[in-house]
Amino acid sequence: MPARIPLDANAILAATEEILRRHGPDKATVVDVARTLGVSHAAVYKHFPSKQALREAVTRRWLDRNRDTLAVIAADGAVPPVQRLRTWLHAVLAVKQAKIREDPELFAAYGILATAHSSVATGHVADLLGQLTAIIADGAADGSLRTEDAEATARVVFHATAKFNHLAHAAEWQNPGIDTELDEVCSLLLEGLQAPTSP
Amino acid sequence: MPARIPLDANAILAATEEILRRHGPDKATVVDVARTLGVSHAAVYKHFPSKQALREAVTRRWLDRNRDTLAVIAADGAVPPVQRLRTWLHAVLAVKQAKIREDPELFAAYGILATAHSSVATGHVADLLGQLTAIIADGAADGSLRTEDAEATARVVFHATAKFNHLAHAAEWQNPGIDTELDEVCSLLLEGLQAPTSP
């Protein structure tokens, strides 16, 4: 019988990710995770009451892995908001490109899970929108960005950069011109956000 | 033996689409199409030398079905370029929304084919970019839109509206807020395109 180790949620999620990496999303079940850890199903269920809860938690963990990196960029008051907006949009793309490069199979497995558990992806997007809203609000406060509603403007900017932030475009993120394309979209959006109100 | 009818490329493509609608992309082969039409494989191969050629042709025909409608909007000199740009971007979304509503199964089947035969999709996008370039060039000519390179600006606008023109987002096109979202993105892009050059 395998040795019992103290079991916390993190150990369960790490084992789930290892299964995802090796076998894809179909095998990421409570039964498989319990077997890998050498514990009973009940021990896993104590932390995650269903297969859905387990999958949502592991997907959210993966989506949020770079949240703090991005939050630091969004909150960096030393960088003017116009430049910070561009840097942040590039960083969102860069962290996703890095995830693909580091482990394409795991990225594909999580892509399937994130699409299947859309409420998790919605929560992740809400976090990103919060960061973007903060940058735009800083720009409104110092007069460098023009907006009547920072949150609404953040949504528009996020929609206009879907090609660079939405998982459905992941196959395009390794194209050689993708960073230039994002930079061009940033420039046009910033022209609009910096434009003076019509007289 | 089934009656032989005069066989042209259009009849073959119409039969292929009918097979796609009923059975999905897997069954859209020369053998199945020939059986449906009651002709020999050779008769189909005379028009389409391979399964790939047949699939590309039927996909292109579907993608291009609304090209003329959009071309008329793009070329309508009676509408000012700023307004025409917005109308055209909405029309691109509207023709795709209509295709989903009319026949969701066929849309899904063609979505798979368009993704698998990316050169066909590239040709379709090039056509759309040509229309968009013409609108922006008209705006540059009458001074209502600011651009140094209408073709490059068209690409930026197209990338910034990927959420509303790229098949990967088809699942979002029936969301109630989607037209408003596009309108907001259009407004921001037009702010940027109408902005005066910095002094």
Side-chain angles (χ1 to χ4, degrees):
Chain A
M1 198 166 178
R4 294 298 169 108
I5 50 167
L7 190 68
D8 64 10
N10 275 336
I12 294 171
L13 292 175
T16 308
E17 180 164 300
E18 195 49 38
I19 290 171
L20 270 177
R21 175 178 286 120
R22 288 198 216 159
H23 307 292
D26 289 348
K27 283 285 184 186
T29 65
V30 171
V31 173
D32 289 302
V33 171
R35 188 180 301 131
T36 297
L37 288 167
V39 300
S40 67
H41 310 169
V44 176
Y45 279 124
K46 218 177 82 187
H47 293 277
F48 301 101
S50 66
K51 180 174 92 172
Q52 172 156 341
L54 175 66
R55 288 175 174 216
E56 287 180 357
V58 75
T59 305
R60 183 66 196 246
R61 176 173 169 267
W62 178 76
L63 285 170
D64 287 350
R65 197 157 289 163
N66 306 99
R67 185 175 47 175
D68 294 347
T69 309
L70 296 170
V72 168
I73 295 171
D76 184 358
V79 179
V82 167
Q83 184 189 328
R84 212 190 313 158
L85 182 61
R86 189 187 291 268
T87 302
W88 187 86
L89 289 167
H90 276 283
V92 169
L93 175 59
V95 297
K96 296 182 184 199
Q97 287 172 320
K99 278 180 174 172
I100 300 178
R101 268 198 309 273
E102 282 159 20
D103 200 331
E105 287 76 21
L106 187 65
F107 188 93
Y110 272 121
I112 291 167
L113 286 184
T115 304
H117 299 281
S118 61
S119 66
V120 176
T122 303
H124 168 69
V125 167
D127 277 351
L128 292 181
L129 282 175
Q131 297 185 9
L132 190 49
T133 300
I135 300 173
I136 291 170
D138 281 357
D142 75 5
S144 60
L145 294 175
R146 192 173 46 83
T147 176
E148 287 172 16
D149 177 342
E151 195 177 336
T153 300
R155 275 198 304 275
V156 177
V157 170
F158 202 73
H159 293 155
T161 50
K163 183 175 162 75
F164 313 99
N165 67 44
H166 194 294
L167 279 182
H169 292 277
E172 302 163 58
W173 293 341
Q174 305 301 320
N175 292 350
I178 191 78
D179 297 293
T180 306
E181 287 179 6
L182 171 56
D183 213 50
E184 290 165 348
V185 169
C186 284
S187 294
L188 180 53
L189 297 176
L190 283 168
E191 287 281 352
L193 289 169
Q194 296 178 272
T197 311
S198 311
Chain B
M1 196 166 177
R4 296 296 169 108
I5 49 166
L7 189 68
D8 65 11
N10 275 335
I12 294 170
L13 292 175
T16 307
E17 181 163 300
E18 194 49 37
I19 290 170
L20 270 177
R21 174 178 287 118
R22 286 198 218 160
H23 307 291
D26 289 347
K27 283 287 186 185
T29 66
V30 170
V31 172
D32 288 303
V33 171
R35 188 182 300 130
T36 298
L37 287 167
V39 300
S40 67
H41 310 169
V44 176
Y45 279 123
K46 217 176 83 186
H47 293 276
F48 301 101
S50 66
K51 182 173 90 171
Q52 171 156 341
L54 174 67
R55 288 174 175 218
E56 287 181 356
V58 76
T59 305
R60 183 67 197 242
R61 174 172 170 265
W62 178 76
L63 284 170
D64 287 350
R65 198 158 287 163
N66 306 100
R67 185 173 50 176
D68 294 348
T69 309
L70 295 170
V72 168
I73 294 170
D76 184 358
V79 179
V82 168
Q83 184 189 329
R84 212 190 312 158
L85 182 61
R86 190 186 289 268
T87 303
W88 186 86
L89 289 167
H90 275 284
V92 169
L93 175 59
V95 298
K96 295 181 185 201
Q97 288 172 320
K99 278 179 173 172
I100 301 177
R101 267 198 310 275
E102 282 159 19
D103 200 331
E105 287 78 19
L106 187 65
F107 189 92
Y110 272 121
I112 292 167
L113 286 184
T115 304
H117 299 281
S118 60
S119 66
V120 176
T122 303
H124 169 69
V125 167
D127 277 352
L128 292 181
L129 282 175
Q131 296 184 11
L132 190 48
T133 300
I135 299 173
I136 291 169
D138 282 357
D142 75 4
S144 60
L145 294 174
R146 193 172 47 83
T147 176
E148 287 172 16
D149 178 341
E151 196 176 335
T153 300
R155 274 198 305 274
V156 178
V157 170
F158 202 72
H159 294 154
T161 50
K163 185 176 160 76
F164 313 98
N165 67 45
H166 194 294
L167 280 181
H169 292 276
E172 303 163 56
W173 293 341
Q174 306 300 319
N175 292 351
I178 192 78
D179 297 294
T180 306
E181 288 178 5
L182 172 56
D183 214 49
E184 290 165 348
V185 170
C186 284
S187 293
L188 179 53
L189 297 176
L190 283 167
E191 288 281 352
L193 289 169
Q194 297 178 272
T197 310
S198 310

